[in-house]
Amino acid sequence: MDAPRPSPTLALLLRARAAELELARVFDPHGLTVRKHGVLRAIAATPGLSPRELARRANIDVHGVATLVRALVDAGLVRQREPRSVHTPFYATTERGDRALARIDAELQRLDVELFAGEDGGALASALLVDAQTPEREPQD
């Protein structure tokens, strides 16, 4: 009987778990989760997004975004600026938020190389990025 072929699905899951643990180590000092990081990144990239647009970009409902933004404000990573209208708040990152993102970006670059730059890591990373751009279903976390 031939030995079973290694499963790419299991290999990917094991690699994903290692990445998840490393991300937690990177995000924890800043009080961030994957979703908080996504919202913080969207605010940094485009200050002044409406809560509805921020929710769309982060793939989270508006109420979820409001909760995450409140947590980012409380952590000192985001501040509310003068609203464009009475009903639409305007958020921007603080210096602390910008510094946190810079540190996280450096750590993510290191992790990308460490976790995915092996023998076929470049091809895997490219395939994952393409797949991430075409979501088939709402991500669960």
Side-chain angles (χ1 to χ4, degrees), residues 13 22 50 52 73 80-81 83 100 109 111-112 118 123 125 137:
L13 285 173
E22 286 296 316
S50 70
R52 185 173 311 286
V73 169
Q80 184 171 345
R81 296 177 58 187
Q109 273 189 313
L111 279 176
D112 288 344
R137 58 186 155 233

Side-chain angles (χ1 to χ4, degrees), residues 20 27 32-38 58-60 68 138-141:
E20 182 181 24
F27 288 160
L32 294 175
T33 62
V34 171
R35 286 199 169 199
K36 285 179 186 174
H37 175 260
N59 198 25
I60 303 171
L68 293 172
E138 184 168 324
Q140 303 294 312
D141 63 351

Side-chain angles (χ1 to χ4, degrees), residues 15 19 23 105-118 121-122 125 129:
R15 183 61 60 161
L23 276 178
D105 286 346
E107 280 293 305
L108 288 176
Q109 273 189 313
R110 182 190 64 75
L111 279 176
D112 288 344
V113 169
E114 183 180 309
L115 294 173
F116 298 105
L129 289 173

